[in-house]
Amino acid sequence: MTDLTTKLQETTAYLKNAGIGPVDFGLILGSGLGELAEEIENPVKVAYEGIPHFPVSTVVGHAGQLVYGNLAGKKVLAMQGRFHYYEGYSMEKVTYPVRVMKALEAHSVIVTNACGGVNESFAPGDLMLINDQINFMGANPLIGPNEADLGPRFPDMSQAYTPIYRKTAQKVGTELGLALKEGVYMGFSGPTYETPAEIRFARIIGADAVGMSTVPEVIVAAHGGMKVLGISCITNLAAGMQASLNHEEVVATTERVKSQFKTFVKATLAVL
Ligand code: HPA
């Protein structure tokens, strides 16, 4: 048995013992968006600290726990706070929770994030469905020996963001009267925000939004054959498009749109 498979068995044994049962949807909640987990019914909460092989999140605004239970009629396992490459974790550590979700039978993952808008038609507070991604993080979580039990050596990324999920989410957005955006998410390593020149480059190569997460998790989800819905909250205009950037604005924008975000995710989850 491989190292990773052994670790996964130890982690899932611990989580099952803590009361976590089979999962339909994994939910990765980005900066400022973790409150959705508070709406999970009959929640089982497990702090990251203590979960075998789990890293511990360091970013302010990330609670750092798994929450398991029912949401919109689905069995979900939510990550309240995620792990970022810029925190110093290996790509394997960053994506480990997605492996765990898969090992707990999740067929799908909903990945959310706060990000900067590159597309000039976007405004802070917009929600964007991710239709594709650009990996500009300088690393790939699948580098290294491939574990055939977990997925293929050369995974197809042609439809990493499941088209039918996006279509369903668009329909729900329309029903709720949301002006949903759609576009390409480009992942940078961070922790610096991008420079204005990097943002001009990002726009030229086809990015609509930039951020420091999501890309590795979606690569691992695709490797494991999981379906993916990606939702970005545009918290600010990207570098060079507004005077300066800061984390406080990111938090303030997620604060402003979080009730809309929660309503949208729940309504979508109900019909996926
Ligand atoms: N760039 C990168 N990550 C971000 C941004 C941004 O402008 N806003 C929120 N997360």
Side-chain angles (χ1 to χ4, degrees):
M1 200 180 304
T2 64
D3 206 29
L4 183 53
T5 313
T6 309
K7 283 185 192 164
L8 283 168
Q9 282 181 357
E10 287 167 5
T11 307
T12 53
Y14 176 92
L15 294 176
K16 284 176 187 168
N17 196 42
I20 292 181
V23 178
D24 296 322
F25 287 84
L27 219 57
I28 302 178
L29 301 174
S31 288
L33 305 171
E35 251 189 48
L36 179 59
E38 306 300 333
E39 311 217 353
I40 293 172
E41 296 151 35
N42 305 316
V44 175
K45 300 182 180 180
V46 184
Y48 292 163
E49 283 139 313
I51 303 178
H53 312 300
F54 244 62
V56 175
S57 186
T58 62
V59 185
V60 182
H62 291 242
Q65 60 179 1
L66 291 177
V67 186
Y68 174 73
N70 287 305
L71 187 66
K74 303 284 170 23
K75 292 269 177 222
V76 303
L77 180 64
M79 284 183 81
Q80 217 172 13
R82 61 142 63 82
F83 306 110
H84 300 88
Y85 190 47
Y86 63 73
E87 292 176 87
Y89 303 118
S90 66
M91 279 287 179
E92 185 180 319
K93 283 275 183 205
V94 167
T95 56
Y96 188 70
V98 180
R99 298 282 185 209
V100 172
M101 288 167 176
K102 169 81 184 174
L104 291 168
E105 301 174 28
H107 53 70
S108 300
V109 60
I110 300 181
V111 190
T112 68
N113 60 56
C115 67
V118 172
N119 186 314
E120 279 160 335
S121 73
F122 291 0
D126 282 347
L127 295 179
M128 181 189 91
L129 294 178
I130 309 176
N131 59 24
D132 205 351
Q133 70 181 24
I134 298 171
N135 181 6
F136 197 65
M137 298 181 86
N140 186 305
L142 303 183
I143 288 175
N146 185 57
E147 307 209 4
D149 287 351
L150 300 178
R153 171 74 291 188
F154 301 111
D156 182 15
M157 295 293 290
S158 303
Q159 301 199 331
Y161 293 86
T162 310
I164 184 70
Y165 277 12
R166 220 162 52 238
K167 201 170 162 204
T168 302
Q170 276 292 4
K171 197 158 160 261
V172 171
T174 307
E175 281 161 14
L176 292 174
L178 300 177
L180 281 182
K181 304 292 193 283
E182 190 168 317
V184 174
Y185 177 93
M186 181 170 177
F188 284 73
S189 71
T192 51
Y193 288 115
E194 302 70 31
T195 64
E198 285 165 348
I199 294 305
R200 289 194 298 276
F201 163 71
R203 189 178 300 111
I204 288 166
I205 67 166
D208 295 290
V210 290
M212 307 175 194
S213 66
T214 302
V215 162
E217 290 116 318
V218 171
I219 289 173
V220 165
H223 185 239
M226 300 172 86
K227 297 195 190 96
V228 175
L229 177 67
I231 305 167
S232 286
C233 173
I234 309 289
T235 54
N236 54 278
L237 299 180
M241 302 169 73
Q242 61 177 49
S244 62
L245 304 188
N246 62 78
H247 186 62
E248 288 65 40
E249 183 189 8
V250 171
V251 175
T253 307
T254 54
E255 192 64 28
R256 178 159 66 81
V257 301
K258 71 186 179 192
S259 78
Q260 194 181 70
F261 168 81
K262 288 191 283 189
T263 304
F264 171 58
V265 176
K266 280 190 295 180
T268 305
L269 192 54
V271 293
L272 282 183

